Amino acid sequence: MEERQFIHDIVAEKADIIAGINRAVWDYAEFGYQEDQSAEKIKAVLRQEGFEVEEGVAKIPTAFVGRYGSGKPVIGILAEYDALPDLSQKAGCAKPCPIEGKKYGHGCGHSALGAGAVGAAIAVKEYLQRTGVTGTVELYGCPAEETGFGKAFMVKEHCFDGIDAAFSWHPMDGNMSMSVRTVAYYKVRFDFKGRTAHAGASPELGRSALDACELMNVGVNYLREHIISDARVHYAYLDCGGEAPNIVPDHASLLYFIRAPKLVQSGEILERMRKIAEGAALMTETKVSIKVLGGLSDTIPNPTLSMLLSDAYLETGAPDFGEEEFAIARDFLAAMPQEQRERVVKNGAKQNGISEEEFAQRPLNTFIMPYTPAMRDKVMTGSSDVGDVSYQVPTAQITAATGIPETGAHTWQMTAQVGTSIGDKASQAVARAIALACAKIYGNPEILDTAKKELEEETGGVYLSPIPEGVQPGEIS
């Protein structure tokens, strides 16, 4: 059997199912740990395709595992399906067009992410069934990647202990091996409590929790100069003390994200921030409660599996975009500011090896950037709970174009494009690549010996969960 052609044919046969998942999950657009319809849709497809489905894994209602096959190797494919707030947008609309009555949108493309992962699992299932090759494929339904650390909770509950390799992908504006590292982070809440008073008549009796928050933010601003340059510290007010300026606020709260290349570095910055918070409380004679709500580990791209998946991607090809997708893409290109549009066309033409005139008519990336070992030394300043999986099992990822070049993640532009046939075609492309990589492992399981050795050398077998004891999935306060 010619594996590449076999898998290509299977994915083509299942193309409507894959596209149907993308469109349905895109339409549901559910926030983390609330992805009831999205999870049910994917589970229903898996059952229809012959998978056994285990529900409610890691004590999370919207987490699940679909299994097919028997024996080793066991390969896990990671699916996501949560949406983001304030990114509701009509599919294919190249100007802001929120959908009335909807708050959430797939501005990170997780509708397609889930669809492509399921497509890969189905193709692998068909491969195992029709060839009789020994092995197991497991599709992991992973909720709340964006804000809720879904996979980190699943790792803590040992959901991935039995698998030998893990594959995933992510929607972006290009097609490549996603073998750069992502950073770790902690999510921490600071609640200040003070004492109310009439701000005009007797302010001396009040102790302002809002003042404490402001002072903490000032202190953290000064701290930023004295932390490693790869670290990022972001904040938002969860509670700004009320709406009445003439009442000294006795309550106010901050939420901080603390990012760094390694979890231990995030932890070191957190300890310094604790002191700043305590100092702010001391200056204002308030009290502060500090609660770590969770976090993520950095991602370790496995060299052997990254090369394997990249080679499979090059074999199976980039998304099969046609005139329907290019027409949508041209609308989004035309909506860009002129300077950005000219840059996108110039760079896109160079990368795809075509003229600028041709790329302007076909403004989607159709080339695949192959894996190179040097990519593993690069660090993205974003984070992903795939990192926690990558500490447990050799893990590799790819990306596929679900929008025109320079379409940013977490934008309405991404929501609008991924909900069209652009997202469908990208999902089908990654399904082919991941399925072929799995087939190569089933045919040559010794690959995993090298991959596991690389992971052991990287981590020394040490993993520190960023989830504190007692914190539950979905807990935000």
Side-chain angles (χ1 to χ4, degrees):
M1 175 189 295
E2 209 279 298
E3 292 173 338
R4 185 197 65 80
Q5 189 61 49
F6 176 85
I7 287 167
H8 188 281
D9 293 345
I10 291 298
V11 172
E13 179 184 318
K14 304 292 184 179
D16 288 345
I17 293 174
I18 297 169
I21 294 172
N22 179 39
R23 300 302 180 97
V25 173
W26 185 93
D27 187 56
Y28 297 143
E30 298 165 297
F31 194 55
Y33 296 122
Q34 300 169 23
E35 315 99 330
D36 299 304
Q37 295 180 90
S38 302
E40 288 302 321
K41 170 66 178 178
I42 295 174
K43 287 186 289 186
V45 169
L46 290 171
R47 289 190 178 104
Q48 278 183 332
E49 293 295 321
F51 285 76
E52 294 182 1
V53 177
E54 178 185 357
E55 301 187 75
V57 300
K59 304 173 186 174
I60 303 172
T62 55
F64 58 89
V65 182
R67 295 185 178 90
Y68 182 85
S70 62
K72 293 281 192 176
V74 181
I75 302 177
I77 301 174
L78 312 179
E80 299 170 15
Y81 32 84
D82 58 320
L84 286 158
D86 304 317
L87 289 178
S88 169
Q89 173 71 12
K90 291 181 181 178
C93 187
K95 61 181 181 180
C97 304
I99 300 172
E100 186 175 350
K102 286 200 173 185
K103 177 180 180 182
Y104 300 102
H106 278 283
C108 209
H110 289 184
S111 59
L113 198 167
V118 174
I122 292 172
V124 173
K125 172 254 176 181
E126 293 291 332
Y127 173 81
L128 292 173
Q129 184 180 59
R130 298 187 195 185
T131 63
V133 171
T134 299
T136 305
V137 60
E138 298 187 346
L139 187 285
Y140 284 81
C142 305
E145 186 275 335
E146 294 291 359
T147 57
F149 327 113
K151 296 184 197 67
F153 279 104
M154 293 170 75
V155 169
K156 192 170 184 180
E157 292 295 324
H158 303 282
C159 294
F160 302 98
D161 284 4
I163 65 176
D164 299 300
F167 290 118
S168 189
W169 78 285
H170 206 286
M172 292 185 76
D173 62 353
N175 315 296
M176 63 184 293
S177 170
M178 194 176 176
S179 50
V180 297
R181 298 172 185 264
T182 62
V183 298
Y185 87 90
Y186 277 118
K187 178 181 179 181
V188 190
R189 179 167 180 150
F190 298 83
D191 292 295
F192 290 88
K193 300 296 181 184
R195 186 167 69 232
T196 59
H198 192 298
S202 53
E204 72 279 2
L205 299 179
R207 298 295 181 267
S208 173
L210 183 58
D211 285 354
C213 284
E214 295 282 79
L215 285 167
M216 179 179 177
N217 285 337
V218 170
V220 172
N221 270 337
Y222 281 106
L223 174 66
R224 286 188 175 96
E225 183 183 355
H226 303 288
I227 59 178
I228 57 175
S229 59
D230 290 331
R232 300 286 188 275
V233 180
H234 334 289
Y235 76 97
Y237 275 94
L238 297 181
D239 172 12
C240 58
E243 301 177 1
N246 62 338
I247 300 174
V248 175
D250 68 342
H251 57 87
S253 301
L254 292 164
L255 182 66
Y256 268 91
F257 284 7
I258 307 163
R259 301 184 196 260
K262 295 291 182 182
L263 191 65
V264 66
Q265 295 168 319
S266 294
E268 290 167 355
I269 296 169
L270 171 57
E271 290 309 306
R272 298 180 71 182
M273 289 175 59
R274 286 182 190 273
K275 295 175 183 177
I276 291 171
E278 291 163 357
L282 183 63
M283 286 188 284
T284 54
E285 296 185 356
T286 58
K287 294 182 179 180
V288 63
S289 172
I290 304 170
K291 185 169 187 178
V292 178
L293 300 177
L296 305 175
S297 298
D298 55 292
T299 302
I300 303 172
N302 184 266
T304 292
L305 294 192
S306 294
M307 178 66 80
L308 177 75
L309 182 56
S310 177
D311 288 347
Y313 203 3
L314 291 167
E315 280 190 58
T316 55
D320 300 321
F321 296 132
E323 179 52 31
E324 179 182 354
E325 294 75 48
F326 292 130
I328 296 167
R330 286 195 296 270
D331 288 342
F332 283 86
L333 181 67
M336 283 182 166
Q338 182 177 350
E339 183 178 345
Q340 184 183 20
R341 183 168 63 250
E342 291 174 352
R343 181 176 66 248
V344 164
V345 169
K346 180 179 180 180
N347 292 339
K350 183 178 179 181
Q351 290 172 340
N352 288 272
I354 58 179
S355 70
E356 292 184 17
E357 292 76 12
E358 186 175 0
F359 188 79
Q361 292 301 307
R362 301 162 59 88
L364 288 165
N365 278 318
T366 56
F367 83 106
I368 299 172
M369 183 182 298
Y371 170 80
T372 60
M375 295 174 73
R376 292 188 73 247
D377 296 327
K378 296 182 179 180
V379 180
M380 291 177 59
T381 52
S383 305
S384 170
D385 59 7
V386 173
D388 291 274
V389 179
S390 76
Y391 267 80
Q392 300 296 296
V393 57
T395 302
Q397 304 180 80
I398 53 176
T399 72
T402 51
I404 67 172
E406 297 195 20
T407 298
H410 296 203
T411 64
W412 63 260
Q413 289 92 338
M414 178 62 80
T415 303
Q417 292 175 82
V418 79
T420 70
S421 58
I422 296 174
D424 300 340
K425 293 289 184 70
S427 300
Q428 293 155 27
V430 298
R432 296 192 299 259
I434 293 174
L436 181 57
C438 292
K440 290 180 181 294
I441 290 175
Y442 293 128
N444 185 16
E446 293 78 14
I447 292 170
L448 296 171
D449 295 336
T450 303
K452 291 177 180 179
K453 182 179 179 182
E454 290 166 343
L455 179 60
E456 176 69 23
E457 290 173 349
E458 175 93 24
T459 67
V462 175
Y463 168 71
L464 172 66
S465 173
I467 308 296
E469 292 300 324
V471 174
Q472 299 301 314
E475 185 176 42
I476 62 170
S477 61

